[in-house]
Amino acid sequence: MILEESTEVEASPREVYHFFETMAENYERWHPDHIEFRWVDADGLVSGGEAYFEERIAGKLQRKTVRFTNVDPDRYIEFKPTPRLVGLLMPHISFTIDPRPTGCELTQRIEVRTGPIGARLNRREFDAVREHMREEGENLRRILETE
């Protein structure tokens, strides 16, 4: 199953990518349920780099350490959780930045490995994640279009 949310942003792909490059400064203002973000290593937003973040989704605290697996500046960012079990259930999370005539489209995707029963049993949690992703897109648009 893929959880996906797209947002049109009147900002260049470079500006959107720079927002992610400077996530340590942007994380908490990006969404009110974001608590903490830090680079685990000094490499930042590069393939092989790692980051740690905390956020609340549906009132539940989520703590994740992720490794960036594919970074194409101004176009694509992909990462996956570092714990093996979590990585098996959620093999990757990505942000695709596609140019548009008036800016770009940011698409967030989270791949979740669950069968139909798991999807049904966890429907509320997945709906909460979708809502969180939608809010992140709207907030990113607001931040970049007003600066």
Side-chain angles (χ1 to χ4, degrees), residues 39-86:
W39 298 107
V40 172
D41 53 36
D43 293 336
L45 188 54
V46 295
S47 291
E50 292 187 5
Y52 170 83
F53 63 92
E54 294 179 9
E55 62 187 340
R56 287 197 188 282
I57 298 181
K60 295 180 183 176
L61 179 63
Q62 308 283 319
R63 293 182 173 114
K64 292 184 182 78
T65 300
V66 298
R67 178 174 295 114
F68 293 90
T69 55
N70 187 350
V71 177
D72 184 2
D74 303 344
R75 298 176 190 269
Y76 187 76
I77 302 164
E78 181 179 293
F79 52 96
K80 69 179 196 172
T82 56
R84 286 184 194 229
L85 180 58
V86 178

Side-chain angles (χ1 to χ4, degrees), residues 2-9 16 20 30 75-79 92-100 104-110 133-134 136-137 140:
I2 305 274
L3 305 177
E4 182 174 307
E5 183 66 36
S6 292
T7 307
E8 293 278 337
V9 181
V16 172
F20 288 101
W30 186 19
R75 298 176 190 269
Y76 187 76
I77 302 164
E78 181 179 293
F79 52 96
H92 75 270
I93 302 161
S94 66
F95 295 93
T96 304
I97 307 165
D98 290 315
R100 296 289 183 259
C104 64
E105 179 180 57
L106 175 68
T107 302
Q108 303 178 61
R109 289 184 188 91
I110 302 174
M133 292 167 66
R134 185 188 63 73
E136 284 179 333
L140 182 118

Side-chain angles (χ1 to χ4, degrees), residues 5 27 30-34 53 55-58 108 110 126-139:
E5 183 66 36
Y27 189 69
W30 186 19
H31 194 285
D33 291 333
H34 286 176
F53 63 92
E55 62 187 340
R56 287 197 188 282
I57 298 181
Q108 303 178 61
I110 302 174
F126 292 142
D127 287 347
V129 171
R130 285 183 187 97
E131 177 66 14
H132 185 90
M133 292 167 66
R134 185 188 63 73
E135 291 169 354
E136 284 179 333
E138 290 175 0
N139 292 342

